[in-house]
């Protein structure tokens, strides 16, 4: 895949700009990178706060020639690529299903994949937001979110991170589109995520919520969760949060 970079100072959302470019006929491999987003968005319509130079705001256009049922694996493939990027920066990441990259249980990156109809067929825009600095985090958010600068002694080099990220997205995307690609991406995801098996989680869907233990992935990347009666629920989309073991009532002082 040939990578081309479209650099913009301020944009509403790099995902929206990439979708517009895809509708205008842009090839796969076009990456939109902005210094600031005025309407950055996350999953489920949430806002992704995007102050100038505080994060990497990145979206890439893909035109995958894979079976439609495997499209959700694009998010997992990107998680693998971000994991490898952060590891190359000297960090020890984890991946929380489906799209959160964590450092020591704090979120450092989110991924938002969206499909777009274009005249030359379906395109997928994959947005990646990596926190570079923690400057604009509110004090209470700092407990659940982190940034490259908060984790490393040397400040983040955004250019270097961009180059490493595009290298790994190209690599893992080619693997996903190749022979046995879906199986390979699931097993690479498994090697990088503590959420693959045996993690106690609460799953929140649009109109239900349940608890259970993670039990591997389906072939399309959906999460299997074993609930109290032993049955396995398949989670195609939803929020997953880790449940901590109950240690009894403790005096925390
Ligand atoms: C999430 O964790 O909910 C996903 C967050 C994705 C944020 C990135 S920043 C670059 C791209 N543009 C957007 O508007 N969103 C994604």
């Amino acid at each position: 895949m040939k990578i081309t970079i479209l650099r913009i100072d301020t944009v509403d959302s790099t995902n929206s700009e990439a979708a517009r470019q895809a509708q205008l006929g842009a090839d796969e491999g076009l990456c939109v990178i902005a210094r600031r987003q005025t309407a950055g968005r996350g999953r489920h319509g949430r806002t992704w706060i995007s102050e100038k130079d505080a994060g990497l705001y990145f979206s890439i256009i893909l035109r995958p020639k894979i079976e439609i049922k495997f499209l959700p694996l694009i998010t997992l493939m990107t998680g693998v690529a971000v994991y490898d990027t952060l590891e190359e920066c000297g960090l020890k990441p984890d991946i929380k299903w489906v799209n959160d990259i964590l450092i020591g249980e704090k979120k450092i990156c989110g991924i938002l994949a969206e499909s777009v109809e274009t005249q030359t067929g379906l395109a997928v825009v994959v947005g990646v937001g990596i926190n570079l600095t923690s400057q604009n985090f509110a004090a209470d958010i700092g407990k659940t979110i982190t940034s490259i600068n908060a984790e490393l002694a040397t400040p983040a080099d955004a250019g270097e991170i961009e180059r490493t990220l595009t290298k790994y997205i190209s690599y893992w995307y080619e693997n996903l589109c190749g022979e046995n690609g879906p199986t390979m991406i699931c097993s690479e995801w498994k090697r990088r995520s503590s959420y693959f098996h045996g993690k106690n989680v609460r799953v929140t869907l649009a109109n239900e919520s349940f608890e259970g233990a993670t039990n591997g992935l389906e072939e399309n990347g959906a999460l299997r969760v074993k609930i109290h009666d032993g049955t396995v629920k398949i989670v195609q989309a939803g929020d997953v949060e880790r449940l901590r073991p109950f240690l009894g009532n403790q005096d925390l002082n």
Side-chain angles (χ1 to χ4, degrees):
M1 177 170 58
K2 183 171 167 284
I3 298 289
T4 310
I5 309 264
L6 172 60
R7 222 173 269 286
I8 305 180
D9 195 77
T10 301
V11 73
D12 50 355
S13 150
T14 54
N15 266 33
S16 302
E17 181 59 29
R20 291 189 287 266
Q21 295 291 334
Q23 278 158 342
L24 291 171
D27 284 338
E28 72 174 357
L30 180 79
C31 303
V32 179
I33 301 177
R35 293 182 68 184
R36 174 171 165 256
Q37 299 184 112
T38 53
R41 57 176 188 275
R43 290 170 74 222
H44 308 306
R46 293 182 193 123
T47 301
W48 188 260
I49 297 169
S50 311
E51 303 283 352
K52 191 167 191 175
D53 299 329
L56 175 66
Y57 314 121
F58 169 101
S59 300
I60 185 167
I61 297 174
L62 302 175
R63 294 185 178 276
K65 306 273 174 300
I66 56 175
E67 284 179 65
I68 294 221
K69 68 173 179 183
F70 290 130
L71 285 180
L73 287 173
I74 289 181
T75 299
L76 280 84
M77 173 285 288
T78 309
V80 167
V82 172
Y83 179 105
D84 290 358
T85 302
L86 296 179
E87 194 174 56
E88 203 162 300
C89 291
L91 294 166
K92 290 205 181 322
D94 190 8
I95 314 179
K96 178 163 82 73
W97 193 91
V98 53
N99 69 336
D100 289 350
I101 313 297
L102 312 177
I103 307 285
E105 298 190 20
K106 294 182 177 182
K107 179 161 169 170
I108 194 165
C109 169
I111 297 164
L112 179 66
E114 297 175 309
S115 57
V116 194
E117 287 295 341
T118 75
Q119 282 185 348
T120 49
L122 182 98
V124 176
V125 168
V126 188
V128 177
I130 301 180
N131 301 327
L132 298 177
T133 76
S134 308
Q135 266 149 256
N136 298 299
F137 294 173
D140 54 338
I141 285 187
K143 292 184 197 133
T144 53
I145 296 186
T146 192
S147 66
I148 300 218
N149 284 1
E151 299 292 334
L152 290 179
T154 42
D157 176 344
E160 181 84 48
I161 295 169
E162 273 168 42
R163 284 187 290 280
T164 314
L165 180 63
T166 50
K167 172 182 81 176
Y168 281 120
I169 290 181
S170 303
Y171 177 76
W172 287 117
Y173 178 61
E174 264 156 45
N175 277 294
L176 172 63
C177 297
E179 206 180 330
N180 294 323
T183 312
M184 178 202 256
I185 293 301
C186 287
S187 73
E188 293 295 332
W189 193 90
K190 170 184 178 179
R191 293 201 311 142
R192 290 166 179 77
S193 173
S194 73
Y195 281 75
F196 182 79
H197 197 271
K199 184 83 100 190
N200 290 323
V201 292
R202 173 179 296 114
V203 178
T204 308
L205 309 176
N207 43 19
E208 100 176 279
S209 142
F210 58 87
E211 296 177 3
T214 60
N215 192 250
L217 298 177
E218 292 285 291
E219 61 165 12
N220 71 344
L223 184 67
R224 295 163 52 86
V225 179
K226 197 179 249 187
I227 60 170
H228 57 88
D229 65 4
T231 58
V232 172
K233 292 207 178 223
I234 312 289
V235 185
Q236 305 284 352
D239 271 342
V240 169
E241 77 189 279
R242 181 182 173 189
L243 286 176
R244 275 151 220 292
F246 181 63
L247 301 172
N249 295 323
Q250 295 186 352
D251 184 349
L252 297 175
N253 293 312

